[in-house]
């Protein structure tokens, strides 16, 4: 342990460059001779491309080249794939349609790339892109994905009914039997609104081709540069892995949208080779709205069965998940194995059955977005619980407490085996933090001012620390989800940690340094964390699914074990003691019970001078570990939201928001709180503000910050946070992960609070003033009719 | 083409650029000051905020030629050597940043907000004043705290200077 070790609230090492403008994001890369790329994109949701005329564009000032889809196909590059194979309940594989880098014949969503213009400057490329003449034959589009079978067909021949996969999990017969014997059944139709991720840094790619070496370097906005290289090499034929270096430098937020390998960076690599100059492409915000993989978009029918004592006996869920026009990299896993496996929530439910229909539509591809599947599950479970409590006339706290799981490990009927937490304890702390006892007085006070006050709960659980390789392999994943770490101790005792995870806001440069400091007592300033470059880091699976701490951190921990063992053996040899008697304390290696000691750096130097090593020991002090987790991790928490609704305008104000989480052991509380704040903002954004809207023709109506409501500072409250720290037994650090919790738990808390305030359960996200106002009117009409 | 003369972070700059060149493009592409970021195309995110003659301005909303003759300060010019501006310090102390992409704009706007409110700042005012700056990472909680803390630091700095 050290003052900067695990648990210490230390300021971030990476901040200096960001607060002084010295960050290095992809768009900040300027190569000599660099050219600029701009894409011509489809204005239609569904059309045949009848002709493309580039002649005028090629004559424009500064234009170097115009690249078409056929060129890329002829070069043998493509297609994009979905890397997680799932099956329908009848055993047939999912129907994955070809996903071209730039389809030369058909466009299937607004914004799909059709041509790539390369010019001396971006402004010239923008002008020339407007001069590319594309003739389209417009076709009707499918946006109403709930009626997917009615067509039009997105991929004729592959999925003529637009159904990618009719997937199921759980025992349907047993669940039906539980319903047959139930005392109460609660049913709901629930929609999870479609979101656009909006990392503040738009996607970007700079590709550099070295002809002499036949080698490509790609700087790109990626959460997982090794995965990008693997996929581009093994599947898209961009270049073999040893001829392709992928660098993800500073990345300005990801939230899932930067996991995937997109057409643009593949095209950039091809273009750099073809024009013989480095090529930069950076999305503008409109392109980001149109082409970053969207999130959520579920339509669900759910019913929950209870016995006479209000214990849940069965849960049945039917969901239609919109995957958009093409299957993005992990799109099949998000609404299936990351969704239905969490439908047990924090509750003891003996029988669960889920059927998920994954469907195509003429919209932007949909994939994992912060939380990925787990927010959708939590929203269904937690809205059901609140609605059921209201129907039973029970307090929502009481109904939850009646059903909370108390004994761990707990095997759910939907694959997951929960590690220990304390759901009652989380609820207790949340109630105390929000001063639940004072709520009636606060409500009365609001009412005196003519305002409606409501309180809503959400007790979420998520599976993260993604993931045990063998388990995900058996469920269809095309990759293993272990993580690697390399610890290089320098002769002077400073430490370099190379990790396969990637930080795009998560603070790894600080928290991973704290893990090292904790072990050896070295100050965090003497530890540097390297990530995001396939030439430097041996391999890694990147950052998503709150995996960096539990999986990446554990890999570091395991590598540190090896460094520690070697350092102790060497110190023991130098001090003529037994390795078992060496203790590390305050940066010194001591022989227990004596005053013999060596400073950390003296031992490190001795490892490199190699003048006096124990028999058989190799010189140097550098170790590697590949860590594969034995289980998912299960962060959980209770959120309570208090709102005030103005009945005259329908405007909702969040007046109190409390989040109490169990993230296991916490490495840096300041960083963890920051992750929760950000997640809550995204969850509250989904509940109150954000919604991606397509019209019937498939036009994206929300493609700018004028039309898509991002949460801003004055939309949000300050948050009240607390946590329980229940060690996770499944990894050596005892951590559970905290990156997604806020986005997972917040939406039902907010909607439950609003529906409590206005007295109806029928309310969809985002709960805009108009929707809330209409819901209030409907309750009044209902009352008048009674 | 337009001749643009500017003082940027104390350095005199003279460039000839196409008329339509935005200030942010000049700063990034011509001068190499990449700390000023571009987060949108509708002048709504604030990532590009710089100071022009002492006022916060979104550098994607002005043409470089339009502000010829002006004094521009970007995020790179805010610290005095190794001594960070109190607003920069406060963002670090209060964890007002995660990915760092919105941060230069937030800090430049934060300084401007404090300058325009010599009477002091409460949470509500800070939140209202930040309506033109979007952050997707922090939920604003710690940005609001940082600006509040910097405001106190800056005003105590002024009193100190005045007393000297
Ligand atoms: S880039 Fe200037 S406001 Fe967004
Ligand atoms: S810190 Fe990432 S957008 Fe603000």
């Amino acid at each position: 342990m050290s003052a900067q070790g695990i648990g210490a609230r230390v300021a971030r090492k990476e901040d200096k460059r960001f607060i002084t403008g010295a960050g290095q994001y992809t768009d900040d890369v300027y190569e000599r001779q660099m050219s600029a790329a701009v894409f011509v994109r489809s204005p239609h949701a569904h059309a045949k491309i009848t002709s493309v005329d580039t002649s005028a564009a090629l004559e424009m000032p500064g234009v170097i080249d115009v690249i078409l889809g056929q060129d890329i196909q002829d070069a043998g590059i493509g297609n994009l794939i979905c890397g997680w194979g799932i099956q329908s309940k009848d055993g047939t594989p999912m129907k994955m349609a070809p996903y071209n880098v730039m389809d030369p014949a058909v466009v299937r969503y607004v914004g799909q790339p059709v041509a790539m213009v390369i010019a001396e400057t971006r402004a010239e490329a923008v002008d020339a892109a407007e001069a590319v003449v594309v003739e389209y034959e417009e076709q009707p589009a499918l946006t109403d994905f709930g009626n997917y079978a009615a067509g039009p067909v997105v991929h004729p021949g592959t999925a003529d009914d637009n159904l990618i996969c009719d997937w199921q999990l759980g025992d349907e017969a047993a669940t039906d039997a539980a319903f047959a014997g139930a005392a109460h059944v609660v049913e709901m139709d629930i929609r999870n609104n479609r979101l656009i991720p909006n990392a503040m840094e738009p996607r970007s790619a700079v590709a550099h081709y070295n002809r002499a070496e036949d080698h490509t370097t790609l700087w790109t906005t990626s959460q997982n540069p090794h995965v990008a290289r693997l996929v581009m090499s093994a599947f898209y034929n961009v270049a073999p892995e040893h001829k392709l270096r992928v660098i993800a430098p500073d990345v300005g937020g990801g939230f899932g949208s930067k996991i995937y390998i997109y057409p643009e960076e593949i095209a950039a690599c091809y273009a750099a080779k073809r024009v013989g100059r480095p090529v930069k492409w950076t999305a503008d915000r409109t392109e980001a709205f149109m082409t970053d993989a969207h999130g959520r978009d579920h339509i669900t029918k759910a019913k929950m069965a209870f016995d006479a004592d209000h214990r849940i006996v069965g849960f049945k869920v039917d969901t239609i998940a919109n995957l958009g026009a093409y299957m993005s990299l992990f799109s099949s896993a998000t609404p299936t194995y990351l969704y239905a496996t969490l439908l047990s929530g924090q509750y003891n439910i003996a029988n669960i059955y889920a059927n998920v229909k994954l469907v195509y539509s003429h919209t932007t591809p949909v994939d994992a977005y912060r939380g990925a599947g787990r927010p959708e599950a939590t929203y269904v479970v937690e809205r059901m619980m609140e609605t059921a409590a209201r129907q039973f006339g029970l307090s929502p706290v009481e109904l939850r407490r009646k059903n909370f799981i108390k004994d761990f490990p707990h095997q759910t009927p939907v694959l997951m085996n929960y590690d220990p937490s304390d759901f009652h304890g989380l609820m207790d702390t949340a109630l105390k933090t929000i001063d639940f006892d004072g709520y009636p007085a606060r409500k009365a006070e609001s009412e005196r001012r003519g305002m409606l006050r409501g309180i809503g709960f959400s007790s979420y659980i998520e599976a993260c620390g993604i993931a045990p390789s063998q388990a995900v392999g058996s469920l269809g994943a095309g990759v293993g989800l272990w993580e690697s770490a390399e610890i290089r101790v320098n002769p002077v005792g400073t430490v370099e940690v190379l990790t396969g995870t990637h930080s795009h806001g998560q603070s790894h440069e600080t928290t991973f340094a704290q893990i090292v400091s904790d072990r050896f007592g070295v100050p965090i300033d003497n530890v540097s964390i390297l990530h995001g470059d396939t030439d430097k880091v041996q391999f890694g699976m990147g950052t998503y699914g709150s995996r960096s701490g539990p999986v990446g951190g554990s890999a570091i921990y395991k590598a540190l074990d090896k460094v520690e063992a070697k350092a102790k053996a060497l110190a023991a040899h130098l001090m003529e003691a037994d390795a078992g008697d060496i203790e590390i304390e305050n940066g010194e290696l001591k022989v227990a019970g004596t005053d013999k000691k060596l400073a950390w750096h003296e031992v490190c130097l001795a490892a490199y001078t190699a003048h006096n090593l124990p028999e058989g020991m190799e010189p140097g002090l550098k170790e590697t570990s590949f860590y594969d987790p034995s289980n998912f991790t299960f962060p959980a928490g209770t959120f309570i939201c208090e709102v005030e609704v103005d009945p005259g305008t329908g405007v909702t104000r969040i007046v109190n928001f409390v989040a109490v989480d169990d993230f296991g052991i916490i490495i840096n509380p300041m960083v963890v709180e920051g992750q929760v704040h950000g997640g809550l903002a995204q969850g509250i954004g989904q509940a109150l503000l954000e919604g991606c809207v397509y019209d019937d023709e498939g036009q994206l109506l929300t493609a700018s910050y004028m039309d898509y409501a991002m949460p801003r500072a004055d939309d949000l409250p300050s948050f009240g946070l607390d946590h329980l720290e229940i060690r996770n037994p499944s990894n050596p650090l005892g951590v559970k992960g905290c990156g997604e919790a806020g986005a997972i738990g917040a939406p039902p808390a907010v909607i439950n609070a609003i529906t409590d305030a206005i007295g109806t359960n029928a309310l969809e996200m985002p709960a805009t003033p108009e929707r809330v106002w209409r819901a209030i009117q409907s309750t009044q009409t209902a009352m008048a009719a009674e | 083409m337009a001749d643009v003369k500017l003082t940027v972070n104390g350095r005199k700059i003279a460039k000839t650029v196409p008329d339509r060149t935005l200030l942010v493009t000049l700063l990034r592409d011509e001068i190499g000051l990449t700390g000023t970021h571009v987060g949108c195309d509708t002048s709504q995110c604030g990532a590009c905020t710089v100071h022009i003659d002492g006022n916060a301005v979104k550098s994607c909303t002005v043409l470089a030629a339009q502000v010829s003759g002006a004094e521009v300060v970007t995020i790179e010019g805010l610290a005095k050597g190794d001594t960070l501006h109190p607003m920069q310090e406060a963002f670090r102390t209060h964890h007002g940043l995660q990915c760092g992409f919105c941060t230069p704009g937030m800090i430049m706007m934060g300084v401007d907000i404090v300058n325009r409110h010599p009477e002091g700042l409460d949470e509500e005012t800070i939140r209202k004043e930040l309506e033109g700056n979007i952050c997707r990472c922090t939920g604003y909680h710690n940005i609001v705290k940082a600006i509040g803390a910097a405001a106190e630091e800056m005003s105590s700095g002024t009193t100190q200077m005045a007393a000297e």
Side-chain angles (χ1 to χ4, degrees), chain B residues 9-99:
Chain B
N9 301 335
R11 187 178 131 205
K12 297 232 178 304
I13 304 284
K15 294 270 174 192
T16 304
V17 294
D19 294 346
R20 61 176 166 180
T21 306
L22 296 170
L23 176 60
V24 66
T25 313
L26 179 91
L27 292 171
R28 290 181 56 82
D29 290 1
E30 302 289 326
I31 313 182
L33 291 171
T34 55
T36 301
H37 296 154
V38 177
C40 74
D41 44 15
T42 49
S43 292
Q44 284 169 308
C45 75
C48 62
T49 306
V50 300
H51 292 174
I52 299 178
D53 295 331
N55 300 314
V57 174
K58 291 177 174 175
S59 62
C60 74
T61 57
V62 286
L63 297 169
Q66 230 179 321
V67 293
S68 193
E71 181 124 5
V72 176
V73 177
T74 70
I75 187 70
E76 290 94 340
L78 199 58
K80 300 271 167 287
D82 266 345
T83 312
L84 296 176
H85 187 280
M87 190 61 70
Q88 292 171 307
E89 252 340 325
F91 267 70
R92 174 157 71 178
T93 309
H94 295 278
H95 191 32
L97 63 149
Q98 290 179 25
C99 79

Side-chain angles (χ1 to χ4, degrees), chain A residues 291-366:
Chain A
T291 67
D292 290 2
H294 293 179
R296 318 280 192 258
D297 216 7
H298 284 194
I299 298 173
T300 295
K301 278 190 180 305
K303 52 182 182 173
M304 202 177 251
F306 295 82
D307 68 12
D309 193 28
H310 305 116
R311 294 203 157 72
I312 309 167
V313 293
F315 190 24
K316 213 169 169 184
V317 174
D318 278 298
T319 294
I320 304 174
N322 185 3
L323 295 200
Y326 298 97
M327 292 191 75
S328 172
L329 193 64
F330 291 118
S331 57
S332 56
T334 303
T336 55
Y337 289 111
L338 294 176
Y339 167 67
T341 52
L342 273 303
L343 286 171
S344 197
Q346 295 190 0
Y347 312 108
N348 221 322
I349 310 179
N351 302 288
I352 300 177
Y353 175 76
N355 173 233
V356 183
K357 294 185 168 68
L358 292 75
V359 302
Y360 285 119
S361 67
H362 289 110
T363 63
T364 298
V366 178

